[in-house]
Amino acid sequence: MRKQLLVSVVMCMCAFVEAQAQVIRQNDVFWDGQMRYVVSIVDKGIYLNGKDSEGDNAVIKLQKVGKTPGEYKLIKAHTNDVAPYGCLFGSRVHYVNQSGMKFLEFYPEEHSVGQVLVLTTDKLSDLAKKQRFMENEQNPVNVVSSWVMNQKFLSQIHPEVLQKMINKVQKKEKKNIIERVNLDMMAYAQAVGLFATDGEMGSSEDQIIEVSNEYEFISALGSNRTVILKPGTVLNLTKVLREDGFFSYDGRYVREDYHALRKGTEQAIVACERNDGRQLELINVDNLTIRGSGDCYIVVEPRYANVLNFYKCSLVTIENLTIGHTEEGYCEGGVLLFEDSEGIDVKGCDLYGCGTYGLETRAVRDLTFEKTTIRDCSYGIMEVHDTHNLLFDNCQFLRCREFTLVNVDGDCENVRFNSCRWEDNKGKLFHLGAVVKMAGCEIRHPSAYEIGDTDMVIMEGISNVIERY
């Protein structure tokens, strides 16, 4: 009896603590990106009295709903009030207290977070200064996992960048509380058109650039832009990279000491010396899309060169392109290499052999391959090192050879294959130091070659097929 009583007391105390943790209190301070609100509780009415840097004022009134901790609703403070943040009066407001984060979520619809007010102790001037600092961030993906955003911030992000930010969070299997609420807010902003159309974060005056030759392509590369290859364009980058005057062309560089550029923060488009030529490397480039329109190719001649190399880059999309070498590679020289980069999307591409590997990664986060083929590569399909959140969705891996085909080292995490197909590859299929997950995949592998580390593969569902022939 005494033990039962003690358990009841403990449970009541836990419930009391939880309730107290989600209660709006007198003199609490909240911030919405523009207004600093101070709480005043009068006759059970909860008033958030706001003031901004321009001296304008606003009032939000809330009312506690039921006995569930943290549940409130928006009500009128004055007869002529208009509900804020796209809400209606009576809309739900939820107090979140999780993982050290405390904020109010405003729901214009049942499952849509329209705005967040963060609990703070800062002065108005300090809050405004921090907001300006965040709005000056040239790469919004840098804050999507670490800072609770607000409508004012979202309203200045270009729609293409907003979509890339959404993709980055959606791909993560495990999301922290900041990522979850930001994803809800970004989805709402996208649905109602709460984003910038031009001249704001992630956009530029020359945002969309069409190219049809190697010189135009090299010149167009950089941050905050979309480079579109005109229909039927074939770019042999070696034609430009091997020129002695490349370093003086539009501020680009040829340097044997390009490693010095990697240590800095300066954006650079570099022609790096290899054994038999030069390869193109993009350093510190953010928010770049390279897109083919129609039957478009990007190729290089040196067999020791990767076709495209990205170092310390983020929010990069490569779409609708065929990419490879003019001659078969050996020892080194793959198709795509990403290093110390994040937020990468490869869509609708054909990465073909004469490259040792179709994909190589080192220290990469949030990389997605969608409806892309890696085929006819001379050493294997991919080399994946220290990579987190790697997704292959509706991809094909065909006729690659001759060593281990899929190498994933032990520093990788959350590697997934959804609805992918392996066929007619020659070599050991999997060498895995980390667990990979598969769903809806088809593997047709010659019986002369082993499948490999199947004990490190988690087959999700019953739709995976493995056939030997």
Side-chain angles (χ1 to χ4, degrees), residues 184-240:
D184 289 342
M185 287 193 65
M186 289 188 294
Y188 174 76
Q190 190 178 59
V192 301
L194 179 67
F195 46 69
T197 56
D198 54 35
E200 302 291 351
M201 283 192 292
S203 67
S204 67
E205 293 180 359
D206 299 318
Q207 186 186 0
I208 299 177
I209 307 169
E210 286 192 321
V211 302
S212 60
N213 61 53
E214 292 83 4
Y215 289 96
E216 291 175 348
F217 177 73
I218 296 290
S219 178
L221 294 175
S223 297
N224 302 319
R225 63 195 65 188
T226 296
V227 180
I228 299 177
L229 278 63
K230 295 179 180 178
T233 296
V234 179
L235 302 180
N236 182 347
L237 301 183
T238 303
K239 292 180 180 180
V240 176

Side-chain angles (χ1 to χ4, degrees), residues 59-60 74-76 80-91 106:
V59 177
I60 296 173
L74 181 66
I75 61 175
K76 283 189 175 183
N80 299 326
D81 279 355
V82 176
Y85 314 131
C87 296
L88 299 174
F89 289 113
S91 292
F106 284 73

Side-chain angles (χ1 to χ4, degrees), residues 33-82:
Q34 187 168 355
M35 289 270 180
R36 180 181 184 271
Y37 291 91
V38 180
V39 173
S40 174
I41 300 177
V42 180
D43 296 330
K44 296 185 180 180
I46 302 168
Y47 294 86
L48 281 69
N49 301 291
K51 184 176 182 180
D52 66 14
S53 299
E54 304 298 322
D56 293 329
N57 298 290
V59 177
I60 296 173
K61 186 177 181 181
L62 304 178
Q63 184 180 80
K64 183 71 183 73
V65 175
K67 296 182 179 180
T68 303
E71 292 300 323
Y72 299 85
K73 69 178 178 180
L74 181 66
I75 61 175
K76 283 189 175 183
H78 305 101
T79 305
N80 299 326
D81 279 355
V82 176

Side-chain angles (χ1 to χ4, degrees), residues 116-139:
V116 168
L117 274 63
V118 178
L119 185 70
T120 181
T121 57
D122 292 339
K123 299 177 181 178
L124 177 58
S125 58
D126 294 332
L127 291 167
K129 185 183 298 183
K130 184 175 182 179
Q131 182 77 21
R132 287 193 299 272
F133 176 82
M134 292 299 183
E135 290 171 2
N136 288 330
E137 171 60 58
Q138 293 300 307
N139 181 13

